Amino acid sequence: CACHDNGIAILQEYLEVVLKLIHLFMQPNIDIFEIKYPAATVLLDLTASEFSIDRVARLIREFNIFEIIIEELTLMMKYPIANIIYTRLRDLFIGIVLNLSCNVEDNELLNHMVQVGVLSCLERILHDTRHDWPSNGAALALLQYSHISLADMFIQEKMSEASVLNSLEVFMTECRNQEARRHMYEAIAILKVGQNKLKKIQAIIENFKTAPAA
């Protein structure tokens, strides 16, 4: 079992092979109960390990696993799910996305996740009808991206394109999770600071363009 200390140690020793197998097991038309669900369980445990998170994230990017999870999770969250196995698999995918979004510190990896659509996925997770751990985790992840956006123009632009600020403001009024509300309140404040900063920069650029030549 991956969550056992010895299991984690073995997985880390053969991490590249393990991630290659997980990529194979995450493909479409793979048996969910027998193969995909156990593979997702292992990946969740690996992304929860603070000692290997960056290495795991690099291999996830190398084998395009994140794109597969984002695409499948987005579809799962669009429609009601009656099957308990699909529901549990969806929650495993949510946990993987939140672990990576909240714990990866490498800017290149963060930018890659944004590039393949993690912000829109986080917004969907935020609006989870349970108003429980998924909403709180997504709010925390969006708060962290808000902090990063102050110094990273690419992420700031992507957050603007995804209308993250509007999504946070809308859900803030209905969210029943107090911790998630605190994260959202702080993220909203930071994003507004970033917007004002961007407007000032744009005004300076426009003034420079229209200034008469010396």
Side-chain angles (χ1 to χ4, degrees):
C1 178
C3 58
H4 189 279
D5 287 345
N6 291 337
I8 287 287
I10 293 169
L11 288 175
Q12 289 178 348
E13 186 175 350
Y14 301 99
L15 199 54
E16 187 169 344
V17 174
V18 170
L19 267 295
K20 282 182 180 178
L21 288 172
I22 289 174
H23 173 260
L24 177 64
F25 297 157
M26 288 294 176
Q27 297 304 310
N29 303 319
I30 292 292
D31 184 276
I32 289 177
F33 183 75
E34 296 290 341
I35 300 176
K36 190 173 286 189
Y37 183 88
T41 302
V42 171
L43 188 57
L44 177 68
D45 289 333
L46 286 173
T47 57
S49 173
E50 60 181 307
F51 303 108
S52 61
I53 182 65
D54 282 340
R55 186 179 170 211
V56 169
R58 288 190 190 94
L59 289 170
I60 286 174
R61 180 185 63 178
E62 182 180 337
F63 300 129
N64 299 317
I65 297 171
F66 197 68
E67 289 90 328
I68 295 170
I69 291 173
I70 289 287
E71 184 177 348
E72 196 155 342
L73 179 56
T74 300
L75 286 173
M76 286 178 166
M77 291 189 294
K78 275 185 178 178
Y79 308 105
I81 301 175
N83 188 302
I84 188 65
I85 294 298
Y86 277 94
T87 301
R88 290 175 178 173
L89 182 62
R90 178 201 62 195
D91 283 352
L92 286 174
F93 284 166
I94 288 174
I96 292 165
V97 170
L98 294 180
N99 281 346
L100 290 167
S101 299
C102 292
N103 299 323
V104 169
E105 296 181 354
D106 184 282
N107 282 345
E108 186 181 345
L109 294 172
L110 289 169
N111 284 350
H112 170 73
M113 290 193 290
V114 169
Q115 203 160 14
V116 298
V118 73
L119 294 176
S120 297
C121 190
L122 286 171
E123 288 180 81
R124 286 187 178 278
I125 296 171
L126 180 73
H127 288 261
D128 186 274
T129 55
R130 290 168 287 184
H131 293 223
D132 200 354
W133 63 268
S135 297
N136 185 46
L140 178 59
L142 290 170
L143 170 58
Q144 293 184 190
Y145 272 114
S146 300
H147 278 291
I148 296 166
S149 72
L150 292 175
D152 191 314
M153 187 62 71
F154 170 75
I155 289 181
Q156 187 176 93
E157 288 175 354
K158 288 297 183 181
M159 293 189 81
S160 178
E161 289 173 12
S163 302
V164 171
L165 177 57
N166 180 65
S167 183
L168 288 167
E169 288 178 326
V170 169
F171 191 60
M172 177 90 167
T173 62
E174 59 189 70
C175 182
R176 300 188 300 272
N177 187 303
Q178 291 302 313
E179 191 171 357
R181 284 172 62 87
R182 284 195 296 272
H183 294 324
M184 285 188 282
Y185 181 84
E186 189 176 345
I188 288 167
I190 292 169
L191 288 172
K192 286 183 175 178
V193 168
Q195 279 188 347
N196 291 333
K197 179 181 173 184
L198 184 59
K199 286 177 183 176
K200 288 178 181 178
I201 292 171
Q202 288 171 338
I204 291 170
I205 293 171
E206 286 302 314
N207 288 338
F208 179 78
K209 286 179 180 178
T210 57

